Amino acid sequence: MQLFDITPSNKDQYDKDFLNNNDGICIVKVHSPGCGHCTAMASAWKELENNSSQLGGGISKLGSIDISTLSEFNPKFQSGGVPQILALDNQGNVIQEHQGERTLNGLQEFIKGLTNQNGGKRKRKTKKYKRKKYKSLKKKGKKSKKKKRTRKR
């Protein structure tokens, strides 16, 4: 996984299509140094970068970019405000924007959801499970939660 931090002082070290050429998912934090919310989230982001090896497969790049240098990297998205955390596909298109908490836990959950590490879809209850549940309710003398349909005339 490649970590990056693009600022006005080091922007020349990166290719202009850096955000648009990815081997997998690219997680980008768009920030401003003078933003109070950005500085409050900085410690959680730094901890996420330090634990980047535990994020799992599918993530190719993780880092931040100063909003003042964003336009020089030919982004295929517009930043509506800061801090903004985006997941980009291999062509630089936005897959998803993080709307949750700006904490380490919130960021990790966002990434787990992208890389499908959360177990995928919830399992459906099988007919066997439903029958067993119905029998146990019947033994206890409780009625089933199903409502009877009545016809309106």
Side-chain angles (χ1 to χ4, degrees):
M1 177 181 313
Q2 182 180 1
L3 299 175
F4 64 92
D5 184 21
I6 302 174
T7 61
S9 61
N10 71 356
K11 66 183 178 188
D12 297 330
Q13 297 174 6
Y14 295 93
D15 180 28
K16 297 302 176 194
D17 287 324
F18 179 75
L19 297 174
N20 301 332
N21 298 326
N22 305 312
D23 295 332
I25 298 172
C26 176
I27 308 293
V28 180
K29 175 183 80 165
V30 181
H31 68 94
S32 173
C35 168
H37 295 290
C38 299
T39 54
M41 191 185 87
S43 63
W45 188 260
K46 187 56 87 178
E47 203 169 331
L48 182 72
E49 289 178 336
N50 292 340
N51 299 329
S52 61
S53 61
Q54 299 172 359
L55 295 177
I59 307 293
S60 64
K61 296 177 186 174
L62 173 73
S64 59
I65 184 167
D66 191 317
I67 194 162
S68 62
T69 62
L70 182 63
S71 61
E72 297 178 32
F73 287 92
N74 306 323
K76 294 183 180 178
F77 60 88
Q78 291 184 346
S79 181
V82 291
Q84 185 178 29
I85 300 163
L86 302 169
L88 307 176
D89 66 6
N90 55 357
Q91 274 97 36
N93 299 313
V94 176
I95 299 171
Q96 190 173 350
E97 181 177 353
H98 177 55
Q99 300 292 331
E101 294 179 12
R102 304 297 203 241
T103 61
L104 178 62
N105 227 10
L107 295 169
Q108 287 174 333
E109 289 300 316
F110 171 64
I111 293 170
K112 282 181 183 177
L114 291 170
T115 58
N116 222 4
Q117 295 176 9
N118 59 354
K121 293 182 180 179
R122 195 174 73 182
K123 290 183 179 179
R124 278 186 53 206
K125 293 181 180 175
T126 62
K127 287 182 181 180
K128 186 177 178 181
Y129 171 83
K130 289 177 183 177
R131 252 184 273 129
K132 192 175 180 181
K133 176 121 176 133
Y134 177 75
K135 285 180 181 178
S136 69
L137 287 174
K138 200 172 181 183
K139 283 181 185 177
K140 292 179 184 177
K142 294 182 180 178
K143 292 184 178 179
S144 173
K145 291 183 180 181
K146 288 184 180 180
K147 293 182 180 179
K148 292 183 179 178
R149 290 186 184 178
T150 56
R151 287 188 179 173
K152 293 184 180 179
R153 292 182 188 213

